[in-house]
Amino acid sequence: MRDAWSTWRHRSSATSEAEANAPSQGETYLQLAQENLRELLHDSRVPKDVRDALADDYRAVEAMIEKIDQGHVHIAAVGRVSVGKSSLLNALLGEQRFTTSPLHGETRRAEMANWTSYDAGGVYLIDTPGINEVDGEAREKMAHDVATRVDLVLFVVDGDLTDTEFQALRALTGHHRPTLLVLNKADRYTESDKTLLREALARRTAGLIDPRNIIFAAAQPAPQVRITVAATGEETESTREVPPDVEQLRQRLWDVLDAEGKTLVALNASLFAGKLSDQVTQRIMETRKKVAEKIIRTYCVSKGIAVAFNPIPVTDLFAAAVMDVAMVIHLSKVYGLPLSRKEAGSLVQVIGGQMVALMGTVWAVNLVSSALKTATGGFSVLITGAAQGAVAYYATYVVGQAAKRYLADSKSWGDAGPKQLVREIINSISRDSILAEGKNDILARLKRPS
Ligand SMILES: Nc1nc2c(ncn2[C@@H]2O[C@H](COP(=O)(O)OP(=O)(O)OP(=O)(O)O)[C@@H](O)[C@H]2O)c(=O)[nH]1
Ligand SMILES: [Mg+2]
């Protein structure tokens, strides 16, 4: 996608006749982007809770599809307060559509107007509240949200870039947001100042903005004051309104829209689709992780109780795998990668084998005594059983965690293999707290009258 944008940035405006008649590249990008959005919208694999959590984004996808259908292009003016964003859009529109004021923070919410003077139509200009305003966090966020959803950004400044402006500009271009840098209030500078300013801006934004996209404008030039001295020596002062000068900007925008309007819309739609599908994936993984965690705990308790009732020699703890196999099958369904009983069996065997290799049976004996040590009350049969149960609980917990990681990684142990993974899991969980938890859970169940 970056390529699409750089093509625009570096493309010469001259197009041959053959090129003009060929199906436009922008058109192709646009169709692809729209297909992506539709697929995303109708993907039946996305669980309802994930869809609900991302409802706003899904609505935005619908709006974006509609916008593409109608061939609309959105252009927003963003920038510091009072740099003349609203004035600039008014000058392009040729009417006082947005309110302007010398007071900072005049524009309070994003507003949109159809730029009818563009021949092909469908272009909308969006005014946004100023960024970097005291107590203006919400408005700044609004401007940011708009800026990251439109097809083209006019980043308006009225002098050399401040640090905040530079950061905002870098963030926008870093997200591949097509941006023109507009220096407004150009009437306040002399010709030589303007040359110096252009050089400074080009240096500052090197690598972020193509120098051709640094544009000077005067949206609402200050009236000129003229003092006439009469023969009598009497001075009269008159003011003359100066018309706006946004011609260079208008011309650049039209060139861009003619040459790459569709590509810009496609780029924006694809960036949005990409971002949303990342979010969807992440949410699905989080949901699966939560469900998996619950499943693991349930099996841990069941196995712990079974062992507590029928204490088996500690050396056999790892061998009693029936329940672990059932757990792995259950987990594999959560991750959408169902395993057969045989596959789940060998997975449990691999993990169990690694545990034994890493910890040995001596360690298991230590575990039991450790579980016993934290026991409250006397050494009853109940407590001893619960201690052994807690060890089974712990072993199942490790198996569950390892299987979960294997499944989350699309049935792979990763580069380091199962041994490393099991070692990592054992090191990362607090043995004593899992044992204590297991014991408490088991005791609670055993004491509960059935
Ligand atoms: N000298 C000069 N003043 C301008 C120009 N454009 C706008 N202004 C003045 O700058 C002030 C702010 O203009 P707005 O268009 O309201 O600025 P804005 O960026 O929309 O401001 P907020 O909505 O408050 O963020 C007004 O007093 C305008 O008259 C210009 O080209 N030259
Ligand atoms: Mg404004």
Side-chain angles (χ1 to χ4, degrees):
M1 268 306 128
R2 182 184 214 132
D3 287 343
W5 172 234
S6 27
T7 321
W8 173 68
R9 289 204 295 189
H10 302 298
R11 184 167 157 164
S12 120
S13 51
T15 26
S16 73
E17 209 171 310
E19 266 180 326
N21 290 334
S24 100
Q25 203 178 26
E27 196 83 51
T28 319
Y29 285 144
L30 203 52
Q31 267 167 19
L32 274 174
Q34 202 168 18
E35 274 165 35
N36 276 344
L37 288 174
R38 288 221 158 91
E39 249 170 55
L40 200 60
L41 199 61
H42 303 296
D43 190 344
S44 57
R45 292 167 305 176
V46 180
K48 187 175 174 306
D49 57 343
V50 172
R51 239 170 230 282
D52 290 348
L54 298 171
D56 282 348
D57 296 281
Y58 274 97
R59 265 193 295 280
V61 170
E62 281 171 17
M64 203 166 261
I65 291 176
E66 201 181 308
K67 170 172 159 261
I68 297 175
D69 276 342
Q70 294 169 340
H72 289 177
V73 182
H74 289 177
I75 301 175
V78 301
R80 228 178 58 236
V81 278
S82 251
V83 289
K85 300 175 292 298
S86 305
S87 307
L88 194 72
L89 298 183
N90 286 339
L92 287 171
L93 292 162
E95 56 174 310
Q96 295 300 306
R97 195 50 203 272
F98 302 114
T99 59
T100 64
S101 147
L103 300 174
H104 285 194
E106 171 66 15
T107 305
R108 290 172 177 273
R109 50 192 181 85
E111 275 180 81
M112 182 147 105
N114 192 350
W115 194 24
T116 48
S117 55
Y118 177 64
D119 285 344
V123 176
Y124 287 82
L125 301 180
I126 300 167
D127 193 17
T128 69
I131 56 170
N132 184 29
E133 190 196 336
V134 187
D135 296 331
E137 261 176 52
R139 271 181 251 169
E140 183 168 334
K141 185 181 175 305
M142 217 184 315
H144 176 264
D145 287 350
V146 172
T148 49
R149 280 194 185 177
V150 295
D151 306 305
L152 184 64
V153 172
L154 305 180
F155 195 91
V156 188
V157 296
D158 62 0
D160 200 358
L161 294 180
T162 65
D163 280 344
T164 318
E165 283 172 330
F166 181 73
Q167 304 298 347
L169 185 66
R170 197 169 54 181
L172 283 172
T173 53
H175 287 110
H176 312 302
R177 194 59 40 183
T179 306
L180 304 189
L181 178 59
V182 185
L183 183 118
N184 188 36
K185 305 193 186 178
D187 58 297
R188 300 195 309 186
Y189 299 97
T190 63
E191 285 309 313
S192 61
D193 280 349
K194 281 197 256 185
T195 311
L196 290 175
L197 198 47
R198 185 181 285 280
E199 281 167 10
L201 287 172
R203 241 193 337 268
R204 200 82 199 283
T205 61
L208 301 180
I209 303 275
D210 184 317
R212 287 178 310 163
N213 290 333
I214 300 176
I215 293 152
F216 283 25
Q220 219 179 89
Q224 273 179 356
V225 180
R226 186 180 289 186
I227 296 170
T228 335
V229 186
T232 56
E234 197 189 342
E235 290 183 0
T236 35
E237 201 182 278
S238 61
T239 53
R240 188 174 68 95
E241 291 297 319
V242 183
D245 177 10
V246 289
E247 184 50 27
Q248 203 195 341
L249 176 61
R250 188 195 57 75
Q251 191 59 50
R252 186 70 185 136
L253 279 174
W254 282 12
D255 287 349
V256 168
L257 290 168
D258 286 347
E260 301 293 335
K262 289 201 163 69
T263 307
L264 294 184
V265 176
L267 171 71
N268 181 26
S270 303
L271 285 173
F272 187 73
K275 215 164 70 190
L276 180 59
S277 78
D278 281 353
Q279 266 177 306
V280 168
T281 313
Q282 202 191 335
R283 293 261 179 175
I284 291 177
M285 289 316 279
E286 277 164 18
T287 311
R288 282 177 174 167
K289 221 167 140 183
K290 268 192 216 146
V291 175
E293 207 60 44
K294 249 192 201 154
I295 292 172
I296 294 172
R297 295 283 173 165
T298 311
Y299 279 91
C300 284
V301 176
S302 311
K303 174 140 169 209
I305 290 171
V307 170
F309 267 126
N310 311 290
I312 46 175
V314 280
T315 42
D316 288 345
L317 270 181
F318 297 118
V322 185
M323 232 172 238
D324 295 2
V325 172
M327 169 179 71
V328 170
I329 292 174
H330 201 155
L331 287 175
S332 73
K333 285 186 191 144
V334 171
Y335 280 89
L337 301 164
L339 295 176
S340 68
R341 187 155 294 277
K342 200 165 153 218
E343 285 170 317
S346 45
L347 193 65
V348 170
Q349 230 169 23
V350 170
I351 302 170
Q354 297 307 330
M355 282 169 74
V356 172
L358 283 169
M359 311 189 298
T361 44
V362 179
W363 189 85
V365 177
N366 285 340
L367 261 186
V368 177
S369 60
S370 164
L372 279 170
K373 249 192 287 179
T374 47
T376 46
F379 270 67
S380 66
V381 178
L382 186 72
I383 299 287
T384 320
Q388 270 210 16
V391 175
Y393 179 108
Y394 176 86
T396 297
Y397 186 77
V398 174
V399 171
Q401 294 300 330
K404 188 180 85 182
R405 290 268 296 268
Y406 172 84
L407 292 163
D409 219 359
S410 309
K411 297 213 272 190
S412 155
W413 292 117
D415 291 340
K419 184 168 184 168
Q420 186 54 30
L421 184 74
V422 174
R423 190 199 301 271
E424 254 174 49
I425 288 169
I426 289 173
N427 290 339
S428 72
I429 56 183
S430 154
R431 188 191 74 182
D432 287 341
S433 67
I434 295 285
L435 283 174
E437 228 170 275
K439 204 156 45 51
N440 290 339
D441 275 356
I442 294 163
L443 281 175
R445 297 293 178 89
L446 292 183
K447 282 175 182 162
R448 197 186 295 161
S450 48

